[in-house]
Amino acid sequence: MSEYATVQKSALKIKGVGDISAGKKKKKKNKESKHRMEQVVTSQNDDEEVKTKKVYLDKRTPAQIAFDKMQEKRQMERILNKASKTHKHRVEDFNRHLDNLTEHYDIPKVSWTK
């Protein structure tokens, strides 16, 4: 019995439950609403400034511009290529492709006497 003399016999204490953290803290709504109103007012002022300033400076190099144009062109070609085929044609092409493949999963013949 002396081995069990130092054992605590109380309930387990779980983090987040107890006197210190009785619940979630509520946020103050007054400060948030004032802050939101200030943001709305500043965003309206920013919108007016943006309308007056419609200057956009493109800081990309000519190579970057050409790269972006080619990317868009290739993407449009891919989209048009995929849109041109029906499901039936895609299935037929896929079946033809499978017929041309070697049968990879065939079990090779193994013999002790070659």
Side-chain angles (χ1 to χ4, degrees), residues 12-13 28 34 40-41 57 71 87 94 97 101 113:
L12 293 174
K13 294 180 183 177
K28 295 181 181 179
K34 288 180 184 177
V40 169
V41 171
L57 296 175
Q71 288 281 35
H87 178 73
F94 184 66
H97 173 70
L101 290 177
T113 60

Side-chain angles (χ1 to χ4, degrees), residues 47-59:
D47 290 339
E48 292 173 2
E49 292 177 7
V50 169
K51 289 178 183 176
T52 58
K53 296 180 182 179
K54 291 189 177 181
V55 178
Y56 173 71
L57 296 175
D58 192 10
K59 296 182 180 181

Side-chain angles (χ1 to χ4, degrees), residues 23-36:
K24 292 184 180 179
K25 294 181 181 178
K26 294 184 181 179
K27 294 181 182 178
K28 295 181 181 179
K29 293 182 181 179
N30 293 335
K31 290 184 180 179
E32 288 182 5
S33 63
K34 288 180 184 177
H35 185 65
R36 287 183 191 151

Side-chain angles (χ1 to χ4, degrees), residues 78-101:
R78 270 189 240 117
I79 291 170
L80 291 175
N81 188 18
K82 286 186 178 183
S84 66
K85 288 187 179 181
T86 62
H87 178 73
K88 186 176 180 180
H89 287 119
R90 277 192 219 109
V91 170
E92 289 173 356
D93 290 342
F94 184 66
N95 286 336
R96 263 189 256 117
H97 173 70
L98 290 178
D99 288 339
N100 291 337
L101 290 177

